[in-house]
Amino acid sequence: MNKPRQVGAEEVGHLTDLYQEHEEWHVNLGEKTIHAKRMPGRFRTLKYITQSIWVFFFIGAYMRWNGKQAMMFDIPNRQFRFFDLTILPQDIWMVALLLLLLAMTLFAVTSVASRVFCGYFCFQTSWTDLFTWIEEKIEGNPHKRHKLDAAPWNAEKIRLKLLKHSIWLLIAVLTGVSFSIWFTDAFEYWHNLLTFNLPMIAWVVLISFILGTYYLAGFMREQVCLWLCPYSRIQGVMCDSQTLLPTYDEKRGEPRGKLRKGQLAGKATQGDCVDCFQCVQVCPTGIDIRDGQQLGCITCGLCIDACDSVMEKVGRPRGLIRYASLDEMDGKPVKKLYQHPRTFVYIGILLLALIGILYGLTHLGALTLRVAPERQPLFVRMSDGSIQNKYVFNVLNKTGKDLYVKIRAEGGVKGQIIVDAEKPQLVIHGRSTPFTVFVKAAEANIVKEVTPIEFYVENTEDPNMTAEYNTVFNGPKR
Amino acid sequence: MSDNQNSDGGVPTTGHIWDDNLADLTNQPPRWWMLGLTGSAVWVVVYWLMYPSVPFSTSGTFFEGIGLPGTGKWTAIKEMQEDQKVVDAVRMPFENKIKDMTPAAILADKELSEYVVRSGKVLFGDNCAACHGQNGVGTVDKQGLFAPILNDDDWLFGGTIDKIHETIVGGRQAIMTPHKDSLKPEQIDAVAKYVKALSEGKGDSEPDGKKVFMESDCTACHGPDAKGIQAMGSANLTDKIWRFDGSLEGIKRTIAYGVNAGPDSRIAVMPNFKEAGKLSDSEIKKLAVYVYKFGGGIKDDVPAAAPAAAAPSAN
């Protein structure tokens, strides 16, 4: 970026310093629209493939399973449905682990191969790519687009712009709808949308998404990566001298210069870079990779494709711009992947989170039991002299149907009886059902003021479906 | 986006220079910003007019505002009443059912009884807890237990759901006559020792007291087996629970001065809640179920005096 300036003594104190500094500061402030050139190549193809992951975002919610939407974040009913699995708010700790997993995946991948997410997966990159692809189909190549932008308004310009913006808006609407249907029944949503029957919150979400998509992908584009996105800033920190980045081989390329007739490859005083500016023209964020790794680089590799194709044409080896680490460029020994301790710490945390999630998913349990002992009074002396404790049971039924549970206890006081233990209790599915349970025991058998007791509830039809909870039995002072 | 390029440096400054080289450019604020400021200022006036925003009232009238489009004039009371409607709408299905049901039917309905357990707490706290204590733990004064514990299964007038309901509706007041004139002090002493031993399950160890108990008027109310008669509210003397005070002195005092019978006697009056008119029929029904669910309620088919004995082992 900008070097420390050598400032003459006479310049100190001049207000105009600010402007001079500004002139040297090559920053894309978005005052000119970047019309990047599309060139075929390895990384271009790879980018198409990785970005197509977003097709799932558009169609995933329509998948049905047992007559219901297969995947749904059901906010009104406070549950997440994933095929046969229902995840209730009580299992929310797994979401924390999932976020940790995603963060660590981002960290680990970024430390190895820099901003892979930005270049190949990010929705901002993907949607912008789609929008510019449509722009190119309608308005032509970058040269034509620049000309069209500068041209005065006429029927043809209006026609092209109208067509482009309509298609953009259509994609924006589809994006908004596709987001919304993950949170409600997809087909019901379409029906309500087409009959203008959506609830207020749904309209707000939809319109926000339409405007957001249209504006961010249509107009803001690379400005989002440069000035809005926190990830782009954070990820830069995770790269080090061993991280693979699209890098310009300065030693090979410099001094750059235009190719002249009759010049022989490798014999000239000139480097390999022919200063064709193809790498700049294809760059979706409009940077010059030859200035070195920088904030604006989303590491999409499109400049590598462009440079390789030019190198082939001028008969020089490929890879003037290539994925390489700074160490490699400096001629330092390149460490193997397993020699990056930082990456392994990331992967370690990632695996821990993954294990936690797998444990959680396999141990979800169909029932969860919470028992709250009555606090006032702690116990009641009954007419036969026995001591009775009152407990409020809350049984969360995560299965898809209502079921009956029976109650038993372990530990506690010798000779205790659970009142009406033989009577099964109905627990409603998908929520927590409360009921009251009384336990009484002869006072003579109570040896401690507070006796630990463990309660079990068991599905009457499936003895393996149980849940337990540890609590206490309170008695008089001993 | 506004034009933030001042590359020509031609913008004049305010003329003041701080620290040798700092000056303020006289750039106009961006237009969107000025529009926002002006719009906000206009909105403040509209907002002020829509609501009752003058914080004074003279002779009971106040500036009511021009009202909100669609919903009319706003007041805090109206908003509270709207919120109340939301709460009522949730409760209404339950309350409508309770209106036409007997307390026993409410108790049998799992969902309704659970609703009562939750919504009855406020009712009990407002109307019952003053004497019976929060959650029915009973209250104690210096003469002993002031009002009965409602959590246990010992009931003077019966613990079935219908009896509890009857007690709340009609109130209860029993009488125990004083015996300080009809019995000699040593007789009172003997019979007190006898009933205390009865409660501990060894009544036969006090033959003197037993003789007094059987030969005086005790059996008339408490029955020959001393188990009490619920129709008249006489206490069961054989169980572990004492209505007033289970110490020997306390028992002697009860025998000597009686209950609800003149000076120095113990006072035990349950007011008539129907007559008091404060509670609706539904509320009384809810209270009956609420009290029953404390844990001491007696099922209709189980004899009141025979609570389940401790089973040999639950483990």
Side-chain angles (χ1 to χ4, degrees), chain B residues 152-180:
Chain B
D152 62 34
D153 59 347
D154 183 34
W155 300 89
L156 292 166
F157 292 91
T160 62
I161 180 70
D162 289 333
K163 286 289 175 192
I164 295 171
H165 184 244
E166 196 182 303
T167 304
I168 302 172
V169 169
R172 297 289 190 189
Q173 184 170 356
I175 286 178
M176 173 163 170
T177 50
H179 295 83
K180 60 182 190 300

Side-chain angles (χ1 to χ4, degrees), chain A residues 63-122:
Chain A
M63 210 188 302
R64 309 298 281 187
W65 188 259
N66 289 341
K68 284 181 187 165
Q69 190 160 324
M71 283 166 287
M72 182 165 145
F73 299 89
D74 191 347
I75 290 174
N77 291 321
R78 307 281 189 276
Q79 51 181 249
F80 168 51
R81 261 212 320 272
F82 187 78
F83 295 91
D84 278 337
L85 216 61
T86 303
I87 297 171
L88 295 170
Q90 284 80 356
D91 302 312
I92 203 80
W93 58 273
M94 274 193 286
V95 176
L97 286 185
L98 181 66
L99 293 177
L100 185 67
L101 178 76
L102 294 176
M104 283 303 142
T105 310
L106 183 80
F107 290 9
V109 169
T110 307
S111 79
V112 173
S114 69
R115 290 162 59 180
V116 172
F117 175 74
C118 293
Y120 298 94
F121 296 98
C122 177

